[in-house]
Amino acid sequence: MASLQLKSTIDQELKWREAELAVAKLYLYRSVIDKSAFAYSYRCFVVLTYAHYEAFTKRVIAQSMLDIFDSGAKWSECRFNIRKHLFASGLRKIVDNKSNGDLATFGSVSATIIDNVTPPPVSIIMDCGNLNYPTFIWAIESVGIDSSKYGFARPDIGKLVSMRHDCAHGESLTFDPTKTDSDLAKDMFALQQRIVFLLHHLSVELLDHFSLGSLRGP
């Protein structure tokens, strides 16, 4: 079952982030009448939208990871992707450090080596780098979420991450010359709305995932 802390984390993180994104939307809308102000506000809007997408995802996934550890589930009982993403490197270190005799002894008992692996620190999620689509998929799979449900988000994550990269590294943005600033703003509003939908989708999926005990399985 999802912990009260996970539910609280999701609720609090969504609430204040959506409120700040709403303010950013207002500023971008107001800047349409001023060409220079619009370019500045647009860049800020891109970076802020990305920042909330990355931070929210990492925080709720990290809390979910803690829920897995606190559930008492043995590693050998967890879904394959959880085992693969979160503790495969730790398992490899244990194996590398054991003699042939040790491996023969431990290997004779089902799951002995796997269940002796120490859980990784939360930093494995928080420090995983920019949240492009492959990294997003890695993060959600690390707590057992079915990533096949998130193919719809690939174009939007790709576009947001690309624009954020250009803004963060001081590159100039290329605007569609056939569109007015108002049109460009509407496009960004729509992209932000889809990103926020993604965050809600992930929240529901995580809560259902733990409520149904889906961290255990093949």
Side-chain angles (χ1 to χ4, degrees):
M1 179 176 292
S3 70
L4 293 178
Q5 183 58 52
L6 177 58
K7 294 176 182 177
S8 176
T9 297
I10 288 174
D11 181 60
Q12 292 176 13
E13 292 290 327
L14 272 178
K15 185 176 181 180
W16 81 269
R17 293 181 190 283
E18 285 190 287
E20 187 165 280
L21 288 173
V23 173
K25 182 177 179 179
L26 178 62
Y27 275 100
L28 183 58
Y29 175 77
R30 288 176 174 173
S31 73
V32 169
I33 60 174
D34 185 330
K35 194 70 176 179
S36 60
F38 175 77
Y40 170 79
S41 296
Y42 190 97
R43 293 171 72 87
C44 292
F45 190 89
V46 168
V47 173
L48 189 65
T49 299
Y50 172 83
H52 283 307
Y53 150 70
E54 179 184 294
F56 175 84
T57 301
K58 287 184 175 181
R59 288 177 186 275
V60 298
I61 293 296
Q63 182 58 54
S64 299
M65 190 179 83
L66 293 177
D67 272 24
I68 292 174
F69 299 154
D70 293 341
S71 70
K74 294 181 179 179
W75 282 121
S76 57
E77 298 173 341
C78 289
R79 298 180 67 87
F80 175 76
N81 278 334
I82 297 176
R83 302 198 308 268
K84 180 176 73 171
H85 295 316
L86 290 186
F87 76 94
S89 59
L91 177 60
R92 189 175 297 109
K93 289 179 181 178
I94 287 181
V95 172
D96 288 344
N97 292 329
K98 288 189 178 299
S99 67
N100 289 343
D102 290 334
L103 289 176
T105 300
F106 279 90
S108 65
V109 181
S110 177
T112 298
I113 297 179
I114 291 177
D115 291 335
N116 281 338
V117 175
T118 302
V122 174
S123 60
I124 193 173
I125 300 296
M126 300 303 294
D127 299 338
C128 68
N130 293 335
L131 214 60
N132 54 30
Y133 184 74
T135 306
F136 172 80
I137 293 301
W138 174 87
I140 65 175
E141 285 187 346
S142 70
V143 292
I145 295 296
D146 180 2
S147 61
S148 68
K149 298 179 180 180
Y150 290 86
F152 72 89
R154 179 190 289 270
D156 290 331
I157 292 176
K159 182 175 182 179
L160 180 62
V161 170
S162 177
M163 288 193 297
R164 175 265 171 197
H165 180 274
D166 289 345
C167 290
H169 292 273
E171 300 294 334
S172 61
L173 295 175
T174 301
F175 296 115
D176 186 341
T178 67
K179 293 186 176 183
T180 66
D181 287 350
S182 180
D183 291 333
L184 293 170
K186 289 177 182 177
D187 288 345
M188 274 307 303
F189 296 157
L191 175 59
Q192 185 198 78
Q193 186 174 16
R194 293 193 297 272
I195 292 297
V196 170
F197 170 79
L198 170 63
L199 303 186
H200 279 272
H201 189 288
L202 178 60
S203 299
V204 172
E205 192 73 16
L206 284 171
L207 293 175
D208 286 349
H209 179 60
F210 282 93
S211 296
L212 296 173
S214 302
L215 62 92
R216 290 179 169 83

